[in-house]
Amino acid sequence: MTKGVDVDLENVWIRFGDFVAVREANVNIKGGEFFSFLGPSGCGKTTILRSVSGFLEPSEGTVRIGGRDMTGIGPNKRPTALIFQNLALFPLMKIWENITFSMEVKGASKAERRKRADELLEMIALPDQGEKLPSELSGGQKQRVAIARALCAEPDVLLLDEPLSALDLKLRQHMRTELREIQQRVGITFIYITHDQGEALTMSDNVAVMRAGVVDQIGSGHTVYNDPATPFVASFVGENNVFRGKVKSIDGDMALISTNRTGELLARIATTAQGTLKVGDPAMLFVRPEALNIAPDITPAPNRFAAMVKHEEFEGQIYNVFLEGSEGKEIKMSLVNIGTERQSAEGMNLTLEYVPEQAVVLPAGELASE
Amino acid sequence: MKVAQLFRDYFAKNGIGLGSFLLVAVLFWVVILIVLPQLSMLDFSFRHHLPPPEMGGPKDTYTIEHYKYLVLGAPGADTTYNVVDLGVFGRTLLAALFVTILDLVLCYPLAYYLGQSRGGGAIRILVLLLIIPYWINEILRAFAFRIIFGESGLINEMMLAMGLISDPVDFIRANVALYAGLGYAYILLMIFPIYNVIESLDRNQIEAARDMGAPWWRIHWRVVIPYAKPGISSGCTMVFMLSAGALAAPQILGGPSSLWFTQIIYQWFNTGGNWPRGAAFAIVLLVTCIIIVLSMMRLFKVKIGDIGK
């Protein structure tokens, strides 16, 4: 199969009348990479996908696929294949006809198409289903047929628009693994659109986090989760407890924040803010629920604060403790279930602590709305 | 008993009041307004043409003379077959078919456009523009067409003024006015069923086909038309049936040489006063139309249940 090619967005702006859907996007997606655009609905991620597939022309800037400028090239002429959110299988065509529609367009003979359909059906583990209609298949099976149909066109780039969102949880998790496997087998570039950070983090080599038309951060799932570039990324990718305040002092890459109501807290300055964040700047400090723990004693320290237990949720491998701190906002702590008795109870006052290197300081900014 | 259970479920679902109203209304409509009159027409068509006093008398027996007349003509005529009436019959069906195809060709792109451009004020205005002419009654509309297509009508005047023609064209004689009038009369009946179906067509399917490299005509051939088939066939059925059964438009807009089969039927009923013969002719037209529609549906693989969709 064809090797994946690079996809580049250079200074791409997309406007609909006065509304700016995508603002100055600069993204370099390497050939053969599994790349995700992650963001809440309406952030412009689907718009970007449509500009790569050719259904939309950027108002400004260039989309390049394999180094070739795609301006003025329609979706039927681009080396991309798109998998739609609702899959868009043709309901009145048999499965094998669906899969090989791109060959039919090119004028391939029926025998050729049958043969290719059988190969692809084999690949997606649905042999002998070729004669059925899409309505006779289950959700997961349709999903695979849509993938086979897109791969049949032998695209250089496969575009996926939240294709798993209609599936139930178990199937979704299964399909994640399967998609990743297929991508590694065929080796082409996958561009994946999702609002589900779990999907983006598990499957992707790199993730672009988008907010209101702006690409906030591009990086590996690890980077995006542990070293967010903006408060939006910190609050959108995974869960985070946020403390607002001002920078009191800076020591190397660590900063002491005097928070509005929780006293002074210490944390690592995010990579992007290092060097630019100054003493006195308004800042936000983020601590992940899993980074929090119950302190062994109540001695005050710049990585400790007090909170009262409100309620708990037991999830099996972890239990989530929701606490009321002095910030007014609910604080969430996730404790690994190690099989011992619970250490907290409702109404109990606790002192929580965290490893300062696991908390992140960023210049104050917009958070992801819940 | 299955039927009893069916009724019990039906009444349990709809209640006694609404349930009986629906049942009575539908039965009244189907039996009293459709089946019985047609049956009485069928009965008429097999009777002799008798003066009223002899009706029900010994001479009032069943006969197939009227059907025979349509096929063979009057006894002792110089031709073996009733060339005139059969000719008109055939021409009427062909013309109705032509009107149907004309409407389909005109309406499919329009319905597609309407169906695919979601909502929007412009679309509503367009639909309104399509509907408003139907506030005017059929006869007036037909006469308006006569005026437009007349020798000194709008079209001729315009073409003369633009220098396209040197003499006025007789659109009425050439039946252009008739086809235009009939085609126009049933445009809505073609547009709306197709529009209805296409509106529910998932836009992504068109984009998916485009994404896979299909040119526009293949998208229509493989994706849109198969999907719109129930709408297309119900539109075609209505236009065909109504064109073949039209009376006013052919009367007003038809050229001097063109006679519509319905006009012959009308003559037998009205001026001829020969109801049995009119009934026989009408039954033949009805049955033939039904056969044509059913065989077309078979040809294009449309199930009768799909039409109601």
Side-chain angles (χ1 to χ4, degrees):
Chain A
M1 273 217 183
T2 35
K3 192 80 191 118
V5 299
D6 282 22
V7 176
D8 294 294
L9 305 180
E10 287 170 18
N11 190 30
V12 168
W13 289 72
I14 299 171
R15 297 188 189 88
F16 299 110
D18 289 338
F19 176 70
V20 182
V22 175
R23 190 184 295 269
E24 213 189 335
N26 282 293
V27 184
N28 166 247
I29 300 163
K30 294 200 181 57
E33 186 175 41
F34 198 123
F35 191 96
S36 294
F37 282 94
L38 172 66
S41 57
C43 73
K45 54 191 194 298
T46 298
T47 311
I48 283 197
L49 195 76
R50 291 177 68 80
S51 76
V52 176
S53 62
F55 288 110
L56 245 172
E57 286 282 338
S59 320
E60 232 178 88
T62 330
V63 174
R64 286 179 202 282
I65 299 177
R68 219 166 109 227
D69 186 351
M70 285 289 133
T71 310
I73 297 176
N76 46 357
K77 300 261 157 43
R78 294 194 183 193
T80 57
L82 176 60
I83 297 179
F84 290 82
Q85 188 164 11
N86 63 356
L87 308 182
L89 295 179
F90 305 124
L92 300 169
M93 287 186 210
K94 289 176 178 156
I95 294 303
W96 75 269
E97 289 177 293
N98 257 291
I99 291 179
T100 55
F101 186 73
S102 56
M103 296 174 74
E104 182 189 325
V105 170
K106 288 186 194 123
S109 75
K110 193 173 167 183
E112 255 177 282
R113 287 187 282 140
R114 271 310 321 218
K115 194 167 154 278
R116 183 89 176 100
D118 287 342
E119 284 169 20
L120 284 161
L121 283 167
E122 195 72 45
M123 187 196 91
I124 56 170
L126 288 176
D128 312 320
Q129 309 277 327
E131 289 299 324
K132 288 190 177 168
L133 288 173
S135 55
E136 294 170 279
L137 298 188
S138 72
Q141 290 175 326
K142 279 189 220 169
Q143 185 71 57
R144 293 197 207 123
V145 171
I147 295 168
R149 184 174 74 169
L151 290 177
C152 183
E154 305 204 324
D156 295 333
V157 181
L158 189 66
L159 309 169
L160 303 101
D161 187 3
E162 307 208 25
L164 303 187
S165 55
L167 303 180
D168 62 61
L169 184 69
K170 269 263 152 56
L171 202 51
R172 207 155 62 218
Q173 284 168 342
H174 174 74
M175 287 306 295
R176 281 182 197 170
T177 325
E178 203 156 303
L179 266 180
R180 184 68 181 158
E181 272 172 22
I182 290 173
Q183 193 264 336
Q184 274 160 356
R185 194 159 52 215
V186 299
I188 62 173
T189 315
F190 272 40
I191 302 181
Y192 193 90
I193 295 291
T194 183
H195 64 269
D196 180 338
Q197 38 119 359
E199 277 177 18
L201 297 183
T202 46
M203 292 190 285
S204 323
D205 296 309
N206 277 303
V207 180
V209 185
M210 289 192 70
R211 165 183 57 103
V214 180
V215 177
D216 260 18
Q217 186 174 13
I218 301 173
S220 68
H222 196 269
T223 310
V224 166
Y225 191 83
N226 290 323
D227 193 11
T230 63
F232 175 81
V233 176
S235 53
F236 184 74
V237 182
E239 285 173 292
N240 241 328
N241 297 303
V242 57
F243 299 90
R244 294 158 199 266
K246 280 198 167 61
V247 181
K248 193 179 176 222
S249 65
I250 293 177
D251 176 18
D253 59 356
M254 302 303 282
L256 190 65
I257 308 297
S258 72
T259 63
N260 292 350
R261 292 191 205 90
T262 317
E264 289 175 359
L265 291 175
L266 186 68
R268 192 179 60 82
I269 305 171
T271 310
T272 48
Q274 283 175 16
T276 52
L277 193 71
K278 292 187 295 295
V279 173
D281 283 353
M284 284 175 166
L285 187 146
F286 295 93
V287 189
R288 298 270 179 203
E290 67 272 18
L292 284 172
N293 238 313
I294 300 169
D297 55 72
I298 54 163
T299 324
N303 64 335
R304 289 184 177 179
F305 58 91
M308 188 188 75
V309 178
K310 274 167 62 187
H311 62 102
E312 287 187 354
E313 269 172 10
F314 183 60
E315 267 189 31
Q317 82 262 37
I318 53 166
Y319 44 98
N320 296 315
V321 187
F322 296 88
L323 308 104
E324 198 180 298
S326 30
E327 290 291 314
K329 225 183 149 194
E330 196 172 60
I331 288 167
K332 183 177 175 185
M333 170 170 67
S334 299
L335 298 173
V336 177
N337 176 13
I338 48 170
T340 51
E341 281 288 305
R342 283 190 316 191
Q343 296 150 297
S344 56
E346 266 168 57
M348 194 186 249
N349 282 306
L350 292 177
T351 301
L352 305 183
E353 71 170 2
Y354 60 91
V355 180
E357 283 74 19
Q358 286 180 2
V360 170
V361 172
L362 279 163
E366 191 188 323
L367 295 174
S369 51
E370 299 295 293
Chain B
M1 192 58 207
K2 266 227 165 100
V3 181
Q5 183 59 38
L6 215 65
F7 270 99
R8 250 199 307 281
D9 288 347
Y10 170 79
F11 280 111
K13 202 172 126 204
N14 298 302
I16 298 289
L18 182 66
S20 8
F21 171 74
L22 286 175
L23 212 59
V24 169
V26 168
L27 276 180
F28 176 78
W29 183 50
V30 172
V31 177
I32 310 286
L33 298 181
I34 300 178
V35 176
L36 288 183
Q38 293 298 337
L39 281 180
S40 93
M41 276 295 149
L42 192 65
D43 179 63
F44 253 122
S45 75
F46 285 107
R47 290 190 185 272
H48 291 284
H49 178 44
L50 297 169
E54 289 183 36
M55 281 186 187
K59 277 190 178 173
D60 198 353
T61 53
Y62 283 109
T63 170
I64 56 162
E65 66 161 304
H66 306 297
Y67 293 94
K68 247 162 124 183
Y69 178 90
L70 175 60
V71 180
L72 303 174
D78 21 318
T79 47
T80 336
Y81 294 103
N82 187 349
V83 184
V84 179
D85 286 353
L86 284 179
V88 171
F89 181 64
R91 247 182 306 153
T92 302
L93 292 178
L94 278 181
L97 211 60
F98 174 75
V99 170
T100 310
I101 292 166
L102 179 78
D103 269 1
L104 180 61
V105 170
L106 284 176
C107 296
Y108 176 78
L110 206 60
Y112 175 75
Y113 176 75
L114 285 176
Q116 279 299 297
S117 38
R118 303 242 175 276
I123 299 304
R124 241 169 304 162
I125 290 173
L126 208 72
V127 172
L128 201 64
L129 284 178
L130 280 171
I131 293 174
I132 284 180
Y134 293 87
W135 294 355
I136 299 157
N137 79 49
E138 197 190 345
I139 310 272
L140 270 181
R141 248 186 297 134
F143 274 109
F145 265 74
R146 231 191 134 85
I147 294 169
I148 296 171
F149 282 103
E151 290 225 15
S152 55
L154 187 72
I155 294 179
N156 269 319
E157 291 287 317
M158 262 168 52
M159 292 213 297
L160 281 171
M162 289 186 338
L164 290 173
I165 47 170
S166 51
D167 294 307
V169 180
D170 192 347
F171 289 116
I172 307 276
R173 185 177 290 275
N175 279 329
V176 173
L178 174 60
Y179 288 129
L182 277 175
Y184 181 73
Y186 306 123
I187 265 185
L188 285 189
L189 295 174
M190 187 64 94
I191 284 184
F192 280 113
I194 304 180
Y195 163 75
N196 257 334
V197 185
I198 288 185
E199 205 192 9
S200 68
L201 172 63
D202 174 16
R203 240 188 140 85
N204 286 350
Q205 290 197 8
I206 295 166
E207 294 200 337
R210 209 145 77 88
D211 190 54
M212 282 180 273
W216 66 269
W217 59 267
R218 193 187 288 274
I219 296 175
H220 281 274
W221 185 245
R222 289 290 277 149
V223 179
V224 186
I225 293 179
Y227 186 83
K229 223 157 63 173
I232 291 174
S233 52
S234 79
C236 286
T237 307
M238 283 196 278
V239 172
F240 177 75
M241 289 289 204
L242 288 171
S243 303
L247 183 61
Q251 198 101 306
I252 296 164
L253 291 169
S257 62
S258 87
L259 197 60
W260 217 249
F261 196 64
T262 45
Q263 286 170 285
I264 295 181
I265 297 173
Y266 180 73
Q267 278 166 13
W268 283 122
F269 270 109
N270 198 14
T271 27
N274 189 340
W275 278 48
R277 185 153 296 169
F281 278 34
I283 295 276
V284 168
L285 181 65
L286 176 69
V287 170
T288 314
C289 283
I290 290 174
I291 289 171
I292 289 176
V293 166
L294 288 180
S295 43
M296 283 293 161
M297 278 168 56
R298 170 154 279 197
L299 188 66
F300 292 108
K301 294 190 185 118
V302 183
K303 285 188 215 79
I304 198 135
D306 290 341
I307 293 233
K309 277 185 189 164

